[in-house]
Amino acid sequence: MYRSTNELKGYKVLATDGDCGTVQDLLFDDDTNIMRYLVVDTGSWLTDRQVLVSPVAIDQPDLDSFELPTVLSKANIEAAPSVETDQPVSRQYESALTSFYNWPVYWGSSPTPILNRPAATVELKERVAAGNGDPHLRSANEVTGYEIQCMEDTLGHVEDIIVDTESWSLRYLVIDTRNWLPGKKVIIAFDWVTHFTWDDRKAHVDLTRSQVENAPEYDPRLPVNRAYETQLYDFYGRPTYW
């Protein structure tokens, strides 16, 4: 079952003994393209606490009630690690950045850009590498809005991520081909992303600008089914994953 991460954010998370919060973000491994955690805001019963819940503990989403049932009790959720235990790479860099420049910590809605100083960038990377954070852990909230870096030029931005909730594999990026005003939407396979760069907020793909611009248009109101996937892979001339 394919679901949009933008849609999943806001779903109610159900413990076996009651509601336990809502999905605020999803953290994925950009090396394996697997969803690692759901970030759950536990709301009033655990004040100001966001915990990490593995998709392994999640049953299939209920599309009618916008709920994610789990096999966990509220006690299990309460004992789950905090989001600060395993931070996405953007937060790791922000932490190193504030320390490097002796700035006050403020977690804004978007990352603070690294200043254009090679020596500073090297030291920041060393600080992150020396920590316990996972350098491949990415936030869906962070990546949404990243610019698409094609082989020769930039194009549009990431609008959404489509995930397979059977395996929790990341299947597709939804791209708006214009940077500011709404434009044509297309999707590309997540496997075609070569890497992400946090400092300039880009998703790098091994596709030409023309390929992305002329790809079959994506309508989010319609399901991504095998017929659409076949058309997509045929257009790009890429081998299918199935």
Side-chain angles (χ1 to χ4, degrees), residues 38 92 117:
L38 281 73
Q92 296 172 43
R117 286 174 46 192

Side-chain angles (χ1 to χ4, degrees), residues 107-119:
W107 305 128
S109 58
S110 60
T112 306
I114 295 176
L115 298 186
N116 188 23
R117 286 174 46 192

Side-chain angles (χ1 to χ4, degrees), residues 134-150:
D134 184 343
H136 293 290
L137 196 63
R138 300 275 174 178
S139 154
N141 286 345
E142 168 208 342
V143 169
T144 302
Y146 269 28
E147 207 172 16
I148 302 300
Q149 177 65 58
C150 299

Side-chain angles (χ1 to χ4, degrees), residues 8-13 20-25 39-43 50:
L8 290 172
K9 285 179 282 187
Y11 265 46
K12 184 183 296 184
V13 179
C20 62
T22 56
V23 178
Q24 297 297 303
D25 196 2
V39 179
V40 178
D41 187 333
T42 54
Q50 292 186 337

Side-chain angles (χ1 to χ4, degrees), residues 33-50:
N33 296 345
I34 297 292
M35 196 66 68
R36 287 268 301 278
Y37 302 115
L38 281 73
V39 179
V40 178
D41 187 333
T42 54
S44 58
W45 70 284
L46 285 177
T47 305
D48 296 328
R49 182 148 187 251
Q50 292 186 337

Side-chain angles (χ1 to χ4, degrees), residues 22-132:
T22 56
V23 178
Q24 297 297 303
D25 196 2
L26 299 98
L27 306 184
F28 65 91
D29 187 320
D30 70 6
D31 189 39
T32 62
N33 296 345
I34 297 292
M35 196 66 68
R36 287 268 301 278
Y37 302 115
L38 281 73
V39 179
V40 178
D41 187 333
T42 54
S44 58
W45 70 284
L46 285 177
T47 305
D48 296 328
R49 182 148 187 251
Q50 292 186 337
V51 299
L52 301 176
V53 175
S54 169
V56 173
I58 302 289
D59 288 332
Q60 281 299 305
D62 187 323
L63 307 182
D64 296 324
S65 59
F66 304 103
E67 293 175 338
L68 284 176
T70 76
V71 298
L72 304 173
S73 67
K74 281 192 169 184
N76 295 144
I77 299 290
E78 187 173 4
S82 162
V83 70
E84 297 304 321
T85 305
D86 202 352
Q87 300 175 351
V89 67
S90 58
R91 181 63 66 84
Q92 296 172 43
Y93 271 105
E94 283 186 286
S95 298
L97 189 69
T98 56
S99 173
F100 185 85
Y101 290 110
N102 197 28
W103 289 344
V105 172
Y106 174 74
W107 305 128
S109 58
S110 60
T112 306
I114 295 176
L115 298 186
N116 188 23
R117 286 174 46 192
T121 302
V122 169
E123 182 168 337
L124 285 169
K125 289 181 177 179
E126 289 174 348
R127 291 191 182 200
V128 172
N132 296 320

